[in-house]
Amino acid sequence: MDSRHGEDAPRPGVRLAAPCPRSGLDAGSLPDHPQGWRGGHRRGHGGRLCGSAGGDLLDLLSRIKSGRYRAPPVRRSYIPKADGSQRPLGIPTFEDKVAQRAIVMLLEAIYEQDFLPCSYGFRPGRSAHDAVHNLRTSLMTQGMRWVLDIDIRRYFDTIPHDQLRSFLDRRVTDGVVRRMIDKWLKAGVLESGSLTYATEGTPQGGVISPLLANIYLHYVLDEWVAMVVEPRLKGRHTLVRYADDFVMAFEDHLDAKRVFHVLGQRLNRYGLTLHPEKSRFIDFRFRRPGGLRHPATSGTTFDFLGFTHVWGRSLKGKNVVRQVTAKGRFARALSAVTEWCQRNRHQTILHQHAHLSAMLRGHYGYYGITGNGRRVRWYLHQVERIWKKWLSRRGRHGNFRWDRLRELLSRHPLPPARIMRQYTVPSEALHEEPDAGNLHVRVCEGGGGNVPTYSACVRKVLGRRMDVT
């Protein structure tokens, strides 16, 4: 509540509107904040002076439905990418995040009926582990040996606003929701004291940006593959997409080659561009004549969601797809440990131990999957070496020897390397090419097994659409 008025006094000129059934927004649509809002800015400048959390939420709801809400510009920030470049982020204000979360909660109920099973990014009940698991299952059970590893250049920054609005017109016609989305698209970016406005893109870092990005690629890619591409293919295929990162796998070489050729044209039609260096055609056969890859391809392994996919042997001697920590992600994780240990080497041992333990548990939680045990154990060993190195530099007296480190670890042990997610594929025993097995399954949801075809999933989703006006 504004500090110019009493805590219990109503704010002059503000009328709390009744819930609007047409828009689907009411007081329950806004996320609660039990301790109030501590933004420190006045209305219209991106925060709220907190008096009562409930009063602020009702005031925000009133301004949204009456059209008086002004979306403040996002603050530009940069984070490093694996290739050395900078990824731009747009950081919204706290009040803006709450408003965006309310709209996201409303739109998710609509678009979760439409999104296809191939999409995993930023969706409730789905994760990156589901995506890599289903990709591994598909590669091992369906004989798909030709992979398109696709990267869209600056996807979040190049989404055309007019085309995005036309896609939203198909499912969302409510004026309140559409007006709020337009305000966020037009809010502008504040960087180094200068305010700029763009006619394309939705800044990464906002709460609503991942959903808008999913909506755009749902129409541009997912439905196009299901409705246009799949009926024209000779063999089986699968698509696994996590936000703007996606992989397509094909049973037939010519199918993969044809799709790779037309995919760039399809994306160009909607204002998107394939990255010429990061988009690759992969020969993923585990038996290649003479051990050489096909001349039309550019590699035999590929990275997806931080894991390198490569063929290997199981303990029983079967050919299996191994998903191991990508070299770039591994190096970046160790670099973060080195930087922290160097900066905090004079902290107490207990403080350092607690933080390193948290970093290890986080690493295990994501990279601790079936087949990646060796990389996870090597990560633990490297963390111990880095810790020993910077403990030796705490003072002038010397070297922190390995026997002292072992004694320290006996009293304060680091979390042991663990496999957090055990994946089992029903057909891991099929170590021959699956052509002989006559497997006719497609992975569209869940983990492996006999599941409906991709087209069947699409027809089921499109059949239960519910238009909201």
Side-chain angles (χ1 to χ4, degrees), residues 121-193:
F122 306 103
R123 293 183 58 188
R126 289 176 165 243
S127 67
H129 291 108
D130 297 328
V132 296
H133 181 205
N134 280 352
L135 177 60
R136 178 177 185 262
T137 303
S138 182
L139 292 171
M140 292 183 59
T141 61
Q142 302 179 49
M144 298 180 186
R145 302 294 180 258
W146 308 97
V147 176
L148 301 183
D149 180 17
I150 304 299
D151 184 271
I152 302 177
R153 173 180 284 175
R154 300 179 61 242
Y155 170 63
F156 281 85
D157 298 328
T158 57
I159 299 177
H161 291 175
D162 55 348
Q163 192 66 57
L164 176 60
R165 293 188 183 97
S166 69
F167 287 148
L168 291 171
D169 288 339
R170 302 183 184 184
R171 297 289 278 130
V172 182
T173 58
D174 179 76
V176 174
V177 176
R178 294 300 302 274
R179 183 168 60 239
M180 289 296 294
I181 294 176
D182 284 342
K183 287 181 179 181
W184 287 318
L185 293 177
K186 299 175 181 178
V189 177
L190 185 62
E191 181 177 7
S192 301

Side-chain angles (χ1 to χ4, degrees), residues 23-70:
S23 68
L25 286 174
D26 53 31
S29 302
L30 295 174
D32 293 328
H33 193 277
Q35 298 178 352
W37 294 3
R38 307 178 184 273
H41 299 285
R42 297 185 184 276
R43 180 177 47 181
H45 296 280
R48 300 299 301 154
L49 293 175
C50 89
S52 167
D56 286 332
L57 289 173
L58 290 175
D59 177 65
L60 174 61
L61 177 62
S62 174
R63 286 184 284 131
I64 289 176
K65 293 194 294 184
S66 65
R68 293 181 293 110
Y69 181 82
R70 292 191 300 168

Side-chain angles (χ1 to χ4, degrees), residues 301-374:
T301 65
F302 64 96
D303 293 348
F304 183 59
L305 298 180
F307 294 95
T308 297
H309 293 67
V310 59
W311 281 101
R313 293 275 184 175
S314 69
L315 295 178
K316 296 182 179 180
K318 312 299 183 181
N319 292 307
V320 295
V321 175
R322 293 200 177 278
Q323 296 168 317
V324 300
T325 309
K327 292 182 179 179
R329 296 291 186 92
F330 192 83
R332 189 166 63 184
L334 292 180
S335 176
V337 174
T338 300
E339 181 181 353
W340 189 89
C341 288
Q342 179 183 8
R343 191 171 59 248
N344 296 274
R345 62 185 182 273
H346 297 299
Q347 297 287 343
T348 64
I349 295 296
L350 290 178
H351 177 80
Q352 295 186 46
H353 173 267
H355 188 87
L356 291 177
S357 297
M359 297 181 77
L360 285 167
R361 284 191 293 267
H363 189 87
Y364 301 159
Y366 186 79
Y367 293 104
I369 66 173
T370 298
N372 198 28
R374 182 177 299 179

